[in-house]
Amino acid sequence: PVSTIVQKLRSSQSFQTLAVSGGLLTGVFSCWGSSLADILRGQPGVSQNLAQWLGLGSACSGFVGIIAVGFAAEAFKLRLKALVVSLFAVQLISFVTFTFCFPIGQSAPALITPFSVPLVATCLCTASAGVGAVAPLFFELGAELTYPCPEGISAGIISGFTNFGGLVLLAALPLIDKSLASLVMTLTVM
């Protein structure tokens, strides 16, 4: 049976795409989100206290997304792919707007001015809820795409890519200028 499982996983390009893109997105976001207070330190208009509150709001919004997606998935029933694509679009719009609220690079001005705490908080929380919501869908779709393989195998592969994405970001983050870190998150969603 192991050879059958391996063959099923190798033959499903949809699962491979889901595992790599979904795993990398959630892994990069997890590490980016946990580094948010450090990334935002020194940004115009952001105190350390505000950065910590934004980090807390981001984490709570991700949790809300995880819980709310169950209800949304039931409403969409067989349209989970459309729900995932919609959540990716929401994340992309939110991350792009969030990124442009700050200077990109050392000497560039912010593209969205004046700086707005409500806009930054809304974008961050919306993107966080989207990432939180999409993560359980990756596991659900992964199990469906690899059926009759055990669900634990597809979940393990997706989790492996999540950890890999996080490790790559953790290795790269010290090398990236803090003013470019949000741009990296935006590019990951793309």
Side-chain angles (χ1 to χ4, degrees), residues 1-12 16 149 153 157:
V2 172
S3 62
T4 306
I5 292 171
V6 170
Q7 180 61 30
K8 177 70 175 172
L9 294 174
R10 292 176 97 191
S11 66
S12 178
Q16 292 169 10
C149 296
I153 292 176
I157 291 170

PDB file of all heavy atoms in Angstrom, residues 1-12 16 149 153 157:
ATOM      1  N   PRO A   1       0.797  -1.203   0.000  1.00  0.00           N
ATOM      2  CA  PRO A   1       0.000   0.000   0.000  1.00  0.00           C
ATOM      3  C   PRO A   1       0.848   1.280   0.000  1.00  0.00           C
ATOM      4  O   PRO A   1       0.378   2.313  -0.451  1.00  0.00           O
ATOM      5  CB  PRO A   1      -0.847  -0.077   1.250  1.00  0.00           C
ATOM      6  CG  PRO A   1      -0.319  -1.195   2.076  1.00  0.00           C
ATOM      7  CD  PRO A   1       0.570  -2.005   1.212  1.00  0.00           C
ATOM      8  N   VAL A   2       2.075   1.239   0.508  1.00  0.00           N
ATOM      9  CA  VAL A   2       2.904   2.442   0.541  1.00  0.00           C
ATOM     10  C   VAL A   2       3.196   2.924  -0.870  1.00  0.00           C
ATOM     11  O   VAL A   2       3.139   4.124  -1.164  1.00  0.00           O
ATOM     12  CB  VAL A   2       4.216   2.195   1.331  1.00  0.00           C
ATOM     13  CG1 VAL A   2       5.157   3.371   1.210  1.00  0.00           C
ATOM     14  CG2 VAL A   2       3.909   1.902   2.781  1.00  0.00           C
ATOM     15  N   SER A   3       3.472   2.008  -1.785  1.00  0.00           N
ATOM     16  CA  SER A   3       3.756   2.411  -3.166  1.00  0.00           C
ATOM     17  C   SER A   3       2.526   3.038  -3.813  1.00  0.00           C
ATOM     18  O   SER A   3       2.643   3.968  -4.611  1.00  0.00           O
ATOM     19  CB  SER A   3       4.244   1.214  -3.983  1.00  0.00           C
ATOM     20  OG  SER A   3       3.246   0.215  -4.036  1.00  0.00           O
ATOM     21  N   THR A   4       1.345   2.563  -3.471  1.00  0.00           N
ATOM     22  CA  THR A   4       0.105   3.143  -3.990  1.00  0.00           C
ATOM     23  C   THR A   4      -0.071   4.567  -3.472  1.00  0.00           C
ATOM     24  O   THR A   4      -0.459   5.467  -4.223  1.00  0.00           O
ATOM     25  CB  THR A   4      -1.113   2.290  -3.562  1.00  0.00           C
ATOM     26  OG1 THR A   4      -0.895   0.945  -3.950  1.00  0.00           O
ATOM     27  CG2 THR A   4      -2.390   2.806  -4.168  1.00  0.00           C
ATOM     28  N   ILE A   5       0.225   4.776  -2.202  1.00  0.00           N
ATOM     29  CA  ILE A   5       0.108   6.106  -1.609  1.00  0.00           C
ATOM     30  C   ILE A   5       1.088   7.064  -2.276  1.00  0.00           C
ATOM     31  O   ILE A   5       0.730   8.182  -2.663  1.00  0.00           O
ATOM     32  CB  ILE A   5       0.334   6.044  -0.087  1.00  0.00           C
ATOM     33  CG1 ILE A   5      -0.820   5.286   0.576  1.00  0.00           C
ATOM     34  CG2 ILE A   5       0.483   7.435   0.508  1.00  0.00           C
ATOM     35  CD1 ILE A   5      -0.604   4.980   2.037  1.00  0.00           C
ATOM     36  N   VAL A   6       2.330   6.620  -2.434  1.00  0.00           N
ATOM     37  CA  VAL A   6       3.349   7.466  -3.055  1.00  0.00           C
ATOM     38  C   VAL A   6       2.956   7.798  -4.487  1.00  0.00           C
ATOM     39  O   VAL A   6       3.068   8.949  -4.927  1.00  0.00           O
ATOM     40  CB  VAL A   6       4.738   6.782  -2.997  1.00  0.00           C
ATOM     41  CG1 VAL A   6       5.759   7.531  -3.837  1.00  0.00           C
ATOM     42  CG2 VAL A   6       5.208   6.670  -1.558  1.00  0.00           C
ATOM     43  N   GLN A   7       2.456   6.823  -5.220  1.00  0.00           N
ATOM     44  CA  GLN A   7       2.036   7.052  -6.600  1.00  0.00           C
ATOM     45  C   GLN A   7       0.883   8.048  -6.673  1.00  0.00           C
ATOM     46  O   GLN A   7       0.874   8.932  -7.523  1.00  0.00           O
ATOM     47  CB  GLN A   7       1.626   5.721  -7.258  1.00  0.00           C
ATOM     48  CG  GLN A   7       1.170   5.864  -8.686  1.00  0.00           C
ATOM     49  CD  GLN A   7       2.255   6.432  -9.594  1.00  0.00           C
ATOM     50  OE1 GLN A   7       3.442   6.237  -9.375  1.00  0.00           O
ATOM     51  NE2 GLN A   7       1.837   7.163 -10.607  1.00  0.00           N
ATOM     52  N   LYS A   8      -0.062   7.923  -5.754  1.00  0.00           N
ATOM     53  CA  LYS A   8      -1.204   8.847  -5.724  1.00  0.00           C
ATOM     54  C   LYS A   8      -0.736  10.277  -5.452  1.00  0.00           C
ATOM     55  O   LYS A   8      -1.173  11.224  -6.105  1.00  0.00           O
ATOM     56  CB  LYS A   8      -2.210   8.404  -4.643  1.00  0.00           C
ATOM     57  CG  LYS A   8      -3.386   9.322  -4.463  1.00  0.00           C
ATOM     58  CD  LYS A   8      -4.336   9.283  -5.621  1.00  0.00           C
ATOM     59  CE  LYS A   8      -5.553  10.136  -5.345  1.00  0.00           C
ATOM     60  NZ  LYS A   8      -6.403  10.278  -6.488  1.00  0.00           N
ATOM     61  N   LEU A   9       0.183  10.433  -4.502  1.00  0.00           N
ATOM     62  CA  LEU A   9       0.687  11.764  -4.160  1.00  0.00           C
ATOM     63  C   LEU A   9       1.507  12.360  -5.298  1.00  0.00           C
ATOM     64  O   LEU A   9       1.445  13.554  -5.568  1.00  0.00           O
ATOM     65  CB  LEU A   9       1.521  11.705  -2.882  1.00  0.00           C
ATOM     66  CG  LEU A   9       0.755  11.336  -1.615  1.00  0.00           C
ATOM     67  CD1 LEU A   9       1.718  11.156  -0.456  1.00  0.00           C
ATOM     68  CD2 LEU A   9      -0.305  12.358  -1.288  1.00  0.00           C
ATOM     69  N   ARG A  10       2.277  11.533  -5.984  1.00  0.00           N
ATOM     70  CA  ARG A  10       3.101  12.014  -7.091  1.00  0.00           C
ATOM     71  C   ARG A  10       2.273  12.361  -8.322  1.00  0.00           C
ATOM     72  O   ARG A  10       2.656  13.226  -9.104  1.00  0.00           O
ATOM     73  CB  ARG A  10       4.141  10.953  -7.466  1.00  0.00           C
ATOM     74  CG  ARG A  10       5.181  10.743  -6.383  1.00  0.00           C
ATOM     75  CD  ARG A  10       6.109   9.654  -6.751  1.00  0.00           C
ATOM     76  NE  ARG A  10       7.291  10.283  -7.332  1.00  0.00           N
ATOM     77  CZ  ARG A  10       8.232   9.633  -7.949  1.00  0.00           C
ATOM     78  NH1 ARG A  10       8.148   8.335  -8.107  1.00  0.00           N
ATOM     79  NH2 ARG A  10       9.274  10.272  -8.416  1.00  0.00           N
ATOM     80  N   SER A  11       1.148  11.690  -8.495  1.00  0.00           N
ATOM     81  CA  SER A  11       0.351  11.907  -9.701  1.00  0.00           C
ATOM     82  C   SER A  11      -0.629  13.076  -9.571  1.00  0.00           C
ATOM     83  O   SER A  11      -1.193  13.519 -10.562  1.00  0.00           O
ATOM     84  CB  SER A  11      -0.422  10.636 -10.053  1.00  0.00           C
ATOM     85  OG  SER A  11      -1.382  10.354  -9.053  1.00  0.00           O
ATOM     86  N   SER A  12      -0.823  13.566  -8.371  1.00  0.00           N
ATOM     87  CA  SER A  12      -1.791  14.644  -8.166  1.00  0.00           C
ATOM     88  C   SER A  12      -1.093  15.999  -8.179  1.00  0.00           C
ATOM     89  O   SER A  12      -0.616  16.484  -7.158  1.00  0.00           O
ATOM     90  CB  SER A  12      -2.536  14.445  -6.844  1.00  0.00           C
ATOM     91  OG  SER A  12      -3.424  15.518  -6.639  1.00  0.00           O
ATOM     92  N   GLN A  16       0.004  18.722  -5.143  1.00  0.00           N
ATOM     93  CA  GLN A  16       1.360  19.270  -5.034  1.00  0.00           C
ATOM     94  C   GLN A  16       1.328  20.798  -5.025  1.00  0.00           C
ATOM     95  O   GLN A  16       2.010  21.439  -4.227  1.00  0.00           O
ATOM     96  CB  GLN A  16       2.232  18.750  -6.168  1.00  0.00           C
ATOM     97  CG  GLN A  16       2.516  17.272  -6.071  1.00  0.00           C
ATOM     98  CD  GLN A  16       3.166  16.722  -7.334  1.00  0.00           C
ATOM     99  OE1 GLN A  16       3.575  17.460  -8.214  1.00  0.00           O
ATOM    100  NE2 GLN A  16       3.255  15.401  -7.411  1.00  0.00           N
ATOM    101  N   CYS A 149      -5.815   7.938   0.127  1.00  0.00           N
ATOM    102  CA  CYS A 149      -4.652   7.979   1.024  1.00  0.00           C
ATOM    103  C   CYS A 149      -5.097   8.478   2.394  1.00  0.00           C
ATOM    104  O   CYS A 149      -6.016   9.284   2.487  1.00  0.00           O
ATOM    105  CB  CYS A 149      -3.584   8.919   0.480  1.00  0.00           C
ATOM    106  SG  CYS A 149      -2.881   8.399  -1.082  1.00  0.00           S
ATOM    107  N   ILE A 153      -1.310  11.727   6.038  1.00  0.00           N
ATOM    108  CA  ILE A 153      -0.166  11.853   5.127  1.00  0.00           C
ATOM    109  C   ILE A 153      -0.237  13.174   4.375  1.00  0.00           C
ATOM    110  O   ILE A 153       0.745  13.917   4.292  1.00  0.00           O
ATOM    111  CB  ILE A 153      -0.094  10.650   4.165  1.00  0.00           C
ATOM    112  CG1 ILE A 153       0.260   9.394   4.967  1.00  0.00           C
ATOM    113  CG2 ILE A 153       0.916  10.904   3.057  1.00  0.00           C
ATOM    114  CD1 ILE A 153       0.274   8.128   4.175  1.00  0.00           C
ATOM    115  N   ILE A 157       2.378  16.393   4.839  1.00  0.00           N
ATOM    116  CA  ILE A 157       3.118  17.024   3.739  1.00  0.00           C
ATOM    117  C   ILE A 157       2.869  18.527   3.722  1.00  0.00           C
ATOM    118  O   ILE A 157       3.802  19.327   3.582  1.00  0.00           O
ATOM    119  CB  ILE A 157       2.741  16.369   2.394  1.00  0.00           C
ATOM    120  CG1 ILE A 157       3.284  14.924   2.363  1.00  0.00           C
ATOM    121  CG2 ILE A 157       3.268  17.170   1.215  1.00  0.00           C
ATOM    122  CD1 ILE A 157       2.782  14.084   1.212  1.00  0.00           C
TER     123      ILE A 157
END
